[in-house]
Amino acid sequence: MGNQKTINEVSRIFNSYLKSRGHRKTPERYSVLQEVFNQSSHFNVESLYLKMKNENLSISRATIYNTIELLLDSNLIKRHQFGKNIAQYEKSFEQKQHDHLICLDCDKVFEFCDPRIHQIQTSTGKLFNFNISHHALNFYGRCQELINKEYCENKGEG
Amino acid sequence: MGNQKTINEVSRIFNSYLKSRGHRKTPERYSVLQEVFNQSSHFNVESLYLKMKNENLSISRATIYNTIELLLDSNLIKRHQFGKNIAQYEKSFEQKQHDHLICLDCDKVFEFCDPRIHQIQTSTGKLFNFNISHHALNFYGRCQELINKEYCENKGEG
DNA sequence: CTTATTGCAAAGTGTTTGCATCTTA
DNA sequence: TAAGATGCAAACACTTTGCAATAAG
């Protein structure tokens, strides 16, 4: 919603990123990008690896870690840590800036937007003379709505 | 500043927490608490362990991990992840609520306060019917001030 | 044909667990 | 003296690294 991109557009971005950095175009890199594109929500390296293996794609963990770095560097994905020692990722194309609500009961992650955060970022940057490139705002708590309860039931899904 | 607590007050809090949960009072638990009390800034389990070993205190990593859980549960410390796979802790007594600025060049962490965050927390909680217990707001960027440059020089210290 | 990239396995790192030994209550 | 806590080492989970084989340009 808003500024969705097709896999072709995203490939083109990745393509020109690779070219600009003198990195080679390999089938593995594009298959990781495709898989990331298919993710509807947050994912981690292991889940991505298993998913790809399950689809009989030829890939190794090392290559996924390698490619993830390139995708981060080209701003096609974002990295998060939601209070656990596992890096979570999400694609950063096709969605507007948002932050996260994390349920401490079911680990489910919800997204929200609030323009005031950007104001705080700007004024804090000025105050500290800090060149802020990005932020992470996480609210931790317990979801209570019926609609959320549903999610809460299939605990620890991701 | 504001509501500092002495080690005696903190011990009393820990003491009554342990009693209320039926946990035993052990010298190790109190020596971890003392060490945490002595920390002026963020710390992690390994740094705490090495510091204690250096002071010839008898302690094991396992016991520190164990005690850290109790200190978290009794709200005497807070846990953070600043974008790395290492849990960072800080004492949560004797200081007011604050958030963090993380320098991507030198890994140094700065603290700031902004009351607007609490407003966002309240309205987001209402909007999602989420019972929010706490939050983490991290700004990532590069520090530029001379005063900060100093910190930046002894890279990777904390 | 040169050199970046892949993929495996080994090593690294932070954390958790199992269990025998101690110690608190 | 019984249940809980400690401490060591082994196990774990995620990530990084070394290196021979492969493939992009």
Side-chain angles (χ1 to χ4, degrees), chain A residues 3-10 13 37 76 93-95:
Chain A
N3 61 339
Q4 297 213 350
K5 288 189 169 56
T6 65
I7 182 65
N8 288 329
E9 293 176 88
V10 174
I13 295 171
F37 185 86
L76 288 171
F93 41 88
E94 85 173 356
Q95 50 197 14

Side-chain angles (χ1 to χ4, degrees), chain B residues 38-96:
Chain B
N38 291 345
Q39 302 305 303
S40 58
S41 175
H42 301 91
F43 59 91
N44 57 58
V45 170
E46 191 64 16
S47 72
L48 204 68
Y49 174 75
L50 293 176
K51 228 164 251 170
M52 294 181 76
K53 276 297 174 191
N54 213 40
E55 295 164 14
N56 288 310
L57 292 168
S58 163
I59 197 74
S60 69
R61 286 185 183 84
T63 298
I64 294 183
Y65 277 106
N66 165 338
T67 307
I68 286 284
E69 283 307 307
L70 301 175
L71 292 173
L72 282 170
D73 193 37
S74 57
N75 291 313
L76 288 171
I77 62 174
K78 281 194 169 66
R79 179 191 160 118
H80 300 288
Q81 304 254 161
F82 297 126
K84 302 269 175 69
N85 284 334
I86 309 162
Q88 302 277 6
Y89 302 89
E90 70 180 330
K91 46 189 177 184
S92 57
F93 41 88
E94 85 173 357
Q95 49 198 13
K96 57 179 171 179

Side-chain angles (χ1 to χ4, degrees), chain B residues 6-152:
Chain B
T6 64
I7 182 65
N8 288 329
E9 292 175 89
V10 175
S11 296
R12 220 171 296 132
I13 295 171
F14 193 41
N15 200 7
S16 74
Y17 164 79
L18 292 177
K19 179 174 282 180
S20 76
R21 301 303 170 100
H23 292 309
R24 293 179 177 172
K25 292 197 268 185
T26 69
E28 289 81 5
R29 284 173 178 171
Y30 282 94
S31 80
V32 169
L33 177 64
Q34 173 71 64
E35 199 66 35
V36 165
F37 185 85
N38 291 345
Q39 302 305 303
S40 58
S41 175
H42 301 91
F43 59 91
N44 57 58
V45 170
E46 191 64 16
S47 72
L48 204 68
Y49 174 75
L50 293 176
K51 228 164 251 170
M52 294 181 76
K53 276 297 174 191
N54 213 40
E55 295 164 14
N56 288 310
L57 292 168
S58 163
I59 197 74
S60 69
R61 286 185 183 84
T63 298
I64 294 183
Y65 277 106
N66 165 338
T67 307
I68 286 284
E69 283 307 307
L70 301 175
L71 292 173
L72 282 170
D73 193 37
S74 57
N75 291 313
L76 288 171
I77 62 174
K78 281 194 169 66
R79 179 191 160 118
H80 300 288
Q81 304 254 161
F82 297 126
K84 302 269 175 69
N85 284 334
I86 309 162
Q88 302 277 6
Y89 302 89
E90 70 180 330
K91 46 189 177 184
S92 57
F93 41 88
E94 85 173 357
Q95 49 198 13
K96 57 179 171 179
Q97 128 68 34
H98 61 262
D99 288 283
H100 299 95
L101 271 157
I102 297 107
C103 180
L104 295 170
D105 286 331
C106 64
D107 289 337
K108 191 78 193 176
V109 176
F110 303 89
E111 300 177 355
F112 72 94
C113 304
D114 195 307
R116 286 174 290 182
I117 295 150
H118 194 257
Q119 293 163 18
I120 297 175
Q121 175 166 323
T122 303
S123 58
T124 305
K126 269 186 195 140
L127 190 59
F128 282 79
N129 197 12
F130 223 82
N131 185 6
I132 299 176
S133 65
H134 63 283
H135 75 261
L137 172 59
N138 298 327
F139 287 134
Y140 296 90
R142 297 168 206 289
C143 56
Q144 304 177 309
E145 273 286 46
L146 282 179
I147 186 169
N148 295 354
K149 275 274 160 48
E150 285 179 39
Y151 288 116
C152 268

Side-chain angles (χ1 to χ4, degrees), chain A residues 127-143:
Chain A
L127 189 61
F128 282 79
N129 197 14
F130 223 83
N131 186 5
I132 300 176
S133 64
H134 64 283
H135 75 262
L137 172 58
N138 298 327
F139 286 133
Y140 296 91
R142 296 169 207 288
C143 56

